[in-house]
Amino acid sequence: MKVLVIGAAGMIGRKLLEQVAKTPNILGAPVSGLTLVDVIEPAAPAALADKAKCQALDLSTDGAAEALIAERPDIIFNLAAVVSGEAEADFDKGYRVNLDGGRALLEAIRHEGQREAYKPRLIFASSVAVFGAPFPEKIGDEFFTTPLTSYGTQKAIIELLIADYSRRGIIDGVSIRLPTICVRPGKPNAAASGFFSNILREPLVGQEAVLPVDDSVRHWFASPRAAVGFFTHAATLDLAKVGPRRSLMMPGLSATVADQIAALEKVAGPKATALIRREPDATIQGIVAGWPCDFDPKRAIELGFTAETSFEEIIRIHIEDELGGQIGV
Amino acid sequence: MKVLVIGAAGMIGRKLLEQVAKTPNILGAPVSGLTLVDVIEPAAPAALADKAKCQALDLSTDGAAEALIAERPDIIFNLAAVVSGEAEADFDKGYRVNLDGGRALLEAIRHEGQREAYKPRLIFASSVAVFGAPFPEKIGDEFFTTPLTSYGTQKAIIELLIADYSRRGIIDGVSIRLPTICVRPGKPNAAASGFFSNILREPLVGQEAVLPVDDSVRHWFASPRAAVGFFTHAATLDLAKVGPRRSLMMPGLSATVADQIAALEKVAGPKATALIRREPDATIQGIVAGWPCDFDPKRAIELGFTAETSFEEIIRIHIEDELGGQIGV
């Protein structure tokens, strides 16, 4: 089975590849070839290095998608995106990469299929950003998509195309709407959502972290491990069961900042929670107020997608996967 | 005020122009210039002929949108589309005209605005085809868009772009989701929905018409006159009241074929209804089974859009507007 991962240098891409490397047949068959691309050259896990071709590539440049599809991968993970803030700041770049790039991939598949029968599985990383406030208390599977960012608009458009290309038999596609991933490994970053991870990750290694919002703020979370599980499950899922509605909101955990802090205290004690410094930031509070708080993702749960059910579990996964099982506080 | 109508040769385009010609200031100010385009050269109403420029043009050809926007129209009606059946049969043409053409228009506006401040009102003719079965009994304003045709996919994508370009201040845009228009004037046509009009229009002039579905089939209707009203109302509506959710399902009338026939009998007597010949057609029955039956378009009604409330009214409008007030049976 030939696998193509677009956006392979990102956090989810790297973790997905590690999982594929250590779990034979997790994608339904042994991996015979692996093409990894990203705007910076990605790295393959050691166990797959002999089968892997790694390449720095912008999907939206002329001929890029065609070259990737000429190899006729069986499974394609499209994880690439210009992120929300950048797509908002740079209109042209956001539409070029997120919309034109995603569409170029679909068109390359269609044209390859016209040459010789071809219908790959395409798994697209979508986002809660397809939704825009105001929301019901719990967002159901049939709630409409009214994005309030260009990024969310671009994700919603690719979702529509994936459904139409799937309906027409060009691809076997599915769009995976990810919850906010927590705990994100790495350094604190400037993303408005960064604090949700910062206030757990930093105290767990004895570092201070800033909390810019009220403890009552509620949001929708899953761990990086759960996110990888969404993609590997989507790779082998019987999509006939999904039917023509190919955009699936993934399961997650609805939790407040207070829930996060209580879980941190349970796992790492009051020395950890004492490292959270409250510095209210009106701008971040305003942005976060427009985000969804809770979902009722019945379809994905029925289809066998799973996520964590407590924040303690999310924190323990971070300690296992990122800290070698050791708390540093 | 300069007005651009794209798709001006179609039924709605022609009726809209007649209304604009006979109702000064219906678009909020006198019309100082009028550009009418369609794939075949459209005609201007006599009263506006001296101000009108009529042109055969395909919006999706290179430079076409830029040339139209260089004139900086204040109001743009985009009524142009490759229709549902053709967009399904010809993948390339449907995406090129309905998606690339609509997007080229938005991009031309954005680039013109970068040159010199410019933010026209853009009114886009969308469709119930953005929805796909299964449906709730009544489709509410927050129901999701899961089109089951490429045409519906293309409409849903342009709706998303119109919302995003409006949010960013590039246009002042709104998408008008039209009910099925009934009674369509003209000859019977091969469209799967044609019979809804045929079974009224033909008997009213003493001609036979074929009914291919059961009397219990329910659907969502408005008259051509109501459709013109949607567009003229959208031209002057305060879009700040609409907010960021710019796709509006228009009001209409939910009626069964039996309701249609009962109204025809009331208006034109049993001699008219006797001209309806029942010839069940499994293909058409199958297509129609996937169409929406009923809506609860609260937002549009609150915003002042109106449609008919009985099928007798719809039939009387046809008799007034198309038959000079005379029934021919």
Side-chain angles (χ1 to χ4, degrees):
Chain A
M1 161 174 293
K2 290 205 262 183
V3 179
L4 167 62
V5 182
I6 302 164
M11 187 264 286
I12 302 281
R14 282 181 284 119
K15 287 189 173 285
L16 171 63
L17 288 162
E18 281 166 28
Q19 193 63 36
V20 170
K22 75 180 179 204
T23 321
N25 298 337
I26 195 169
L27 302 180
V31 174
S32 59
L34 187 61
T35 302
L36 308 182
V37 299
D38 207 316
V39 287
I40 56 162
E41 186 174 315
L48 292 168
D50 58 326
K51 293 172 183 133
K53 198 168 88 176
C54 300
Q55 206 179 338
L57 186 86
D58 175 344
L59 192 62
S60 66
T61 54
D62 270 358
E66 288 77 1
L68 293 174
I69 295 306
E71 297 175 28
R72 302 172 66 89
D74 302 290
I75 297 192
I76 302 165
F77 295 95
N78 185 3
L79 315 174
V82 167
V83 297
S84 184
E86 192 179 2
E88 203 59 20
D90 188 339
F91 186 101
D92 286 286
K93 186 175 180 185
Y95 272 94
R96 182 172 54 76
V97 174
N98 294 347
L99 175 48
D100 296 330
R103 191 173 167 207
L105 182 67
L106 291 166
E107 280 293 273
I109 295 168
R110 184 168 73 94
H111 292 134
E112 179 63 24
Q114 286 169 340
R115 212 181 53 75
E116 189 186 333
Y118 175 55
K119 189 168 116 177
R121 174 148 307 200
L122 174 58
I123 300 162
F124 174 60
S126 190
S127 164
V128 293
V130 298
F131 298 108
F135 303 115
E137 204 181 323
K138 273 176 186 275
I139 299 178
D141 284 326
E142 299 189 345
F143 191 64
F144 68 165
T145 52
T146 60
L148 292 175
T149 57
S150 291
Y151 172 83
T153 302
Q154 292 144 13
K155 290 287 185 191
I157 291 173
I158 297 294
E159 285 190 354
L160 282 162
L161 292 174
I162 283 178
D164 197 42
Y165 279 61
S166 294
R167 186 185 62 79
R168 281 181 172 264
I170 298 164
I171 57 168
D172 204 12
V174 63
S175 297
I176 298 296
R177 291 174 178 162
L178 294 172
T180 286
I181 302 303
C182 190
V183 182
R184 280 189 80 88
K187 294 273 151 212
N189 69 25
S193 62
F195 70 87
F196 288 123
S197 285
N198 299 349
I199 62 167
L200 304 174
R201 186 189 57 240
E202 300 306 301
L204 285 170
V205 293
Q207 304 289 322
E208 256 199 2
V210 170
L211 173 61
V213 304
D214 289 345
D215 286 35
S216 63
V217 163
R218 180 176 285 282
H219 196 50
W220 182 250
F221 301 99
S223 73
R225 196 193 279 180
V228 168
F230 301 154
F231 287 104
T232 56
H233 187 62
T236 57
L237 186 65
D238 177 4
L239 290 181
K241 278 198 251 169
V242 178
R245 295 171 170 182
R246 293 296 175 102
S247 304
L248 295 172
M249 183 64 219
M250 289 295 108
L253 172 66
S254 175
T256 62
V257 168
D259 295 334
Q260 290 191 287
I261 295 173
L264 179 64
E265 177 151 337
K266 237 175 180 167
V267 174
K271 264 168 82 177
T273 53
L275 290 163
I276 298 171
R277 194 154 43 82
R278 283 171 172 77
E279 276 185 24
D281 180 321
T283 306
I284 292 182
Q285 289 186 346
I287 294 172
V288 172
W291 290 353
C293 302
D294 200 358
F295 288 87
D296 183 19
K298 277 205 191 80
R299 292 188 70 213
I301 291 168
E302 280 169 18
L303 290 163
F305 291 93
T306 56
E308 294 79 18
T309 54
S310 81
F311 235 104
E312 281 170 67
E313 199 183 342
I314 289 180
I315 294 170
R316 288 190 203 284
I317 285 170
H318 178 74
I319 295 167
E320 280 175 39
D321 290 357
E322 305 295 332
L323 304 179
Q326 298 294 319
I327 298 172
V329 63
Chain B
M1 160 175 290
K2 291 205 264 183
V3 179
L4 167 62
V5 182
I6 302 164
M11 189 264 288
I12 301 281
R14 283 181 286 118
K15 287 188 173 284
L16 170 64
L17 287 162
E18 281 166 26
Q19 193 62 35
V20 170
K22 75 179 178 203
T23 321
N25 298 337
I26 195 168
L27 302 181
V31 174
S32 59
L34 188 62
T35 301
L36 307 182
V37 300
D38 208 315
V39 287
I40 56 161
E41 186 173 315
L48 292 169
D50 59 326
K51 293 172 184 133
K53 200 169 86 176
C54 300
Q55 208 180 335
L57 186 86
D58 176 344
L59 191 63
S60 65
T61 53
D62 270 358
E66 288 77 1
L68 293 174
I69 295 306
E71 297 175 29
R72 301 174 65 90
D74 302 291
I75 297 192
I76 302 165
F77 295 96
N78 184 4
L79 315 174
V82 167
V83 298
S84 183
E86 193 178 2
E88 202 62 20
D90 188 338
F91 187 100
D92 286 285
K93 185 175 180 185
Y95 272 95
R96 182 174 53 77
V97 174
N98 295 346
L99 174 48
D100 296 330
R103 191 173 168 208
L105 182 67
L106 290 166
E107 280 292 272
I109 295 168
R110 183 168 73 95
H111 292 134
E112 179 62 24
Q114 286 169 339
R115 212 182 53 75
E116 189 187 331
Y118 176 53
K119 188 169 117 177
R121 174 148 308 199
L122 174 58
I123 301 162
F124 173 61
S126 189
S127 164
V128 294
V130 298
F131 298 108
F135 303 115
E137 204 181 325
K138 273 176 187 276
I139 300 177
D141 284 327
E142 299 189 344
F143 191 63
F144 67 166
T145 52
T146 59
L148 292 175
T149 57
S150 292
Y151 173 82
T153 302
Q154 292 144 12
K155 290 288 185 190
I157 291 173
I158 297 294
E159 286 190 354
L160 282 162
L161 292 174
I162 282 178
D164 198 42
Y165 279 62
S166 295
R167 187 185 61 79
R168 280 182 172 263
I170 298 165
I171 57 168
D172 203 13
V174 64
S175 297
I176 299 295
R177 291 174 178 161
L178 294 172
T180 286
I181 302 303
C182 189
V183 181
R184 281 189 79 88
K187 295 272 151 214
N189 70 24
S193 62
F195 71 87
F196 287 123
S197 285
N198 299 350
I199 61 166
L200 304 174
R201 187 189 58 239
E202 300 306 303
L204 285 170
V205 293
Q207 304 289 322
E208 257 199 1
V210 170
L211 173 60
V213 304
D214 289 345
D215 287 36
S216 63
V217 164
R218 181 176 284 282
H219 196 50
W220 182 250
F221 302 99
S223 73
R225 196 193 280 179
V228 168
F230 300 154
F231 287 105
T232 56
H233 187 61
T236 57
L237 185 65
D238 177 4
L239 290 181
K241 278 200 252 167
V242 177
R245 295 170 170 183
R246 293 294 175 102
S247 305
L248 295 172
M249 183 64 217
M250 289 296 108
L253 171 66
S254 176
T256 62
V257 168
D259 295 334
Q260 292 191 285
I261 295 173
L264 179 64
E265 177 150 336
K266 239 176 180 166
V267 173
K271 264 169 82 177
T273 52
L275 290 164
I276 298 171
R277 193 154 43 83
R278 284 170 171 77
E279 275 185 23
D281 180 320
T283 307
I284 293 182
Q285 289 186 345
I287 294 172
V288 172
W291 289 352
C293 301
D294 201 358
F295 288 87
D296 183 19
K298 277 205 191 79
R299 291 188 70 212
I301 290 168
E302 281 168 17
L303 289 163
F305 291 92
T306 56
E308 294 79 20
T309 54
S310 81
F311 235 104
E312 282 171 66
E313 199 183 342
I314 288 179
I315 294 170
R316 289 190 202 283
I317 285 170
H318 178 74
I319 295 167
E320 280 175 39
D321 289 357
E322 306 295 333
L323 305 178
Q326 298 294 320
I327 298 173
V329 64

